[in-house]
Amino acid sequence: MKAGELRGLSLEELVAKRGELRGELFNVQVKRSTGQLENTAALGALRRDIARVETLLREKREANS
């Protein structure tokens, strides 16, 4: 997911996206621990996506205050 795509989302949508990504990350971590994960790059990609969303949330909250 690109930051440009995320910038168009509202604050509520970003919070929902963060929850969705964290759920996906949990599922990938479980698959990795049980040896079922084939795409190990997915773990890092999800972490980066979560970081992007967190950064945009912080930016939007600072802009509103």
Side-chain angles (χ1 to χ4, degrees):
M1 176 148 303
K2 299 196 178 207
E5 298 171 4
L6 293 171
R7 287 192 193 282
L9 299 178
S10 70
L11 192 61
E12 295 81 21
E13 291 171 327
L14 283 171
V15 170
K17 186 69 169 172
R18 179 181 58 183
E20 175 187 321
L21 289 171
R22 284 185 176 173
E24 285 181 43
L25 179 62
F26 176 77
N27 290 335
V28 169
Q29 288 173 332
V30 169
K31 284 184 181 181
R32 184 188 65 179
S33 67
T34 59
Q36 297 174 350
L37 184 63
E38 295 178 11
N39 182 9
T40 57
L43 197 59
L46 280 170
R47 282 195 211 127
R48 283 189 298 276
D49 286 344
I50 291 170
R52 280 187 194 103
V53 170
E54 291 283 350
T55 300
L56 290 172
L57 280 170
R58 183 180 47 84
E59 287 176 1
K60 286 185 183 259
R61 286 183 179 141
E62 287 177 359
N64 290 337
S65 26

